[in-house]
Amino acid sequence: MKISVIGSGNVGASTALFLAEKEIAREIAVVDIVEGMPQEKMLDMLQAGPVEHYSTFTKGSNNYADIDGSDIVIMTAGLPRKPGMDRMDLLLKNKEIVENAAASIKKYAPGAVVIVVTNPLDVMAYAMYKATGFNNKKVIGMAGVLDSTRFRAFIAESLNVSMKDVSALVLGGHGDDMVPVKRFASVSGIPLSELLPDEKINALIDRTRKGGGEIVSLLKTGSAFYAPAASAVLMAEAIARDEKRVVTAAVYLDGEYGAKDVYCGVPVILGKNGVEKIIEVELSAEEKTALSKSVESVKSGIKSIYGA
Ligand code: TXD
């Protein structure tokens, strides 16, 4: 198993470290355009192996040829969001970076499953799918795992219970109109509504929606990276170990949930083939409206770069 990470910035480097520590692949290649940085970070990480007890060989370079033969490619290269900058502002610049990477993935790792992290996430996943021409089941966007883990962490904190027992699902695009579904949140099977009053749940939902922005306003020089990297690694592990994990991911919709030719976050089963199945659940009228609003905003992002 070989996994490549494009981009050795905050998300890319943290992704490589989580991958190494979990020994998901024997070999990890990290490519960035900044000279010296991927080389330094991956050499440093290699040298931590004997102490941290992982046997993962990490290598950094400025050469896309080093992703050769990868089974999984995690795309993190791009510009991060700055304070006051909307995800959509990043669109054109990051599309160019995605298309650049796509050309190399096609050339050097034509059999890979690609996990896209670059923002604006759903539109960039679509751009990666279009530019690689890969089967859409093999190009998957990471956002739902992150949005859900944020919601789960806030629930655990407010109930003072273990994070491990909290389960939650956030649907929709990775934007302010994401759809955290109240009735899918539970603690060891106990519906969240039994444990917290509605207004408290609504406040946690609101904080989840603004979770990325909260971090940006604290960090000022960039956006979140530990939780995003951990979320991308969960997806890579599910694919590498064929775990059939049920998560929310941004996937290509071809009629599912009433949406067509768009990427958006819905529940899926992840395994060795990438998206093994899209799980369609019956949504309430209110949830349907929220999801279609989210789909529409991704569509307008796609339209702005691809035309009607
Ligand atoms: O939920 C999600 N999907 C996200 C997405 C959560 C957090 C961050 N999200 C997005 O990931 C963020 O908005 C950015 O678009 C990416 C990467 O975020 P990161 O915080 O890692 O940004 P950095 O630290 O600036 O790193 C980006 C690196 C940097 O080292 C650049 O030199 C490199 O990308 N870069 C490239 N590498 C290879 N090839 C090309 N063309 C290239 N262009 C820039």
Side-chain angles (χ1 to χ4, degrees):
M1 176 67 54
K2 173 172 175 178
I3 302 183
S4 290
V5 181
I6 315 291
S8 64
N10 282 336
V11 176
S14 308
T15 297
L17 184 58
F18 286 136
L19 284 170
E21 286 188 326
K22 293 186 160 210
E23 294 191 311
I24 296 170
R26 204 182 125 70
E27 208 185 326
I28 297 174
V30 176
V31 178
D32 201 290
I33 47 168
V34 178
E35 275 179 40
M37 180 170 71
Q39 291 87 338
E40 183 288 317
K41 289 188 180 177
M42 292 310 113
L43 179 61
D44 207 357
M45 212 171 278
L46 179 85
Q47 294 165 0
V51 179
E52 278 290 294
H53 290 286
Y54 56 74
S55 189
T56 306
F57 292 86
T58 52
K59 186 185 171 197
S61 83
N62 304 118
N63 187 356
Y64 269 105
D66 284 327
I67 71 169
D68 189 42
S70 298
D71 301 285
I72 298 172
V73 177
I74 305 179
M75 173 64 185
T76 77
L79 302 182
R81 206 151 52 114
K82 303 269 161 56
M85 197 178 179
D86 187 71
R87 287 189 178 94
M88 286 298 167
D89 297 336
L90 293 171
L91 216 135
L92 286 170
K93 183 66 202 150
N94 284 355
K95 176 181 180 255
E96 194 186 309
I97 296 174
V98 164
E99 286 178 343
N100 236 310
S104 298
I105 296 169
K106 243 170 105 167
K107 182 167 174 197
Y108 298 111
V113 175
V114 186
I115 299 171
V116 179
V117 180
T118 307
N119 266 332
L121 189 271
D122 307 86
V123 184
M124 290 306 116
Y126 184 90
M128 181 64 86
Y129 158 60
K130 283 285 168 194
T132 53
F134 284 5
N135 180 316
N136 60 54
K137 303 291 180 217
K138 299 185 112 186
V139 180
I140 313 163
M142 187 294 294
V145 178
L146 171 63
D147 297 328
S148 305
T149 193
R150 282 182 173 148
F151 191 24
R152 289 165 65 193
F154 297 150
I155 293 169
E157 196 179 43
S158 92
L159 287 170
N160 194 21
V161 298
S162 168
M163 305 226 192
K164 293 180 195 163
D165 292 329
V166 180
S167 183
L169 213 61
V170 177
L171 306 179
H174 186 51
D176 299 341
D177 50 14
M178 67 179 74
V179 189
V181 184
K182 256 187 231 183
R183 60 194 180 91
F184 293 159
S186 64
V187 179
S188 279
I190 305 166
L192 187 58
S193 55
E194 302 274 334
L195 302 168
L196 279 177
D198 213 39
E199 65 274 18
K200 183 71 196 165
I201 300 177
N202 289 339
L204 299 182
I205 287 180
D206 192 51
R207 191 171 176 202
T208 303
R209 273 212 185 93
K210 297 173 182 154
E214 183 179 355
I215 302 243
V216 170
S217 64
L218 289 167
L219 193 57
K220 299 192 174 64
T221 53
S223 53
F225 49 98
Y226 292 125
S231 303
V233 169
L234 178 145
M235 292 173 67
E237 186 174 24
I239 295 161
R241 306 203 208 275
D242 194 23
E243 292 177 325
K244 319 281 191 213
R245 291 211 59 180
V246 178
V247 298
T248 318
V251 296
Y252 185 80
L253 297 176
D254 187 22
E256 296 88 352
Y257 290 95
K260 241 182 164 14
D261 195 33
V262 66
Y263 266 74
C264 200
V266 297
V268 298
I269 300 175
L270 286 187
K272 66 176 185 310
N273 301 309
V275 179
E276 305 270 338
K277 188 176 189 261
I278 294 175
I279 302 174
E280 280 203 83
V281 288
E282 195 56 48
L283 297 177
S284 69
E286 196 189 338
E287 290 155 0
K288 269 186 200 155
T289 310
L291 184 61
S292 39
K293 184 173 165 229
S294 188
V295 166
E296 282 317 307
S297 89
V298 178
K299 278 203 159 173
S300 76
I302 292 174
K303 201 171 155 196
S304 69
I305 49 174
Y306 289 97

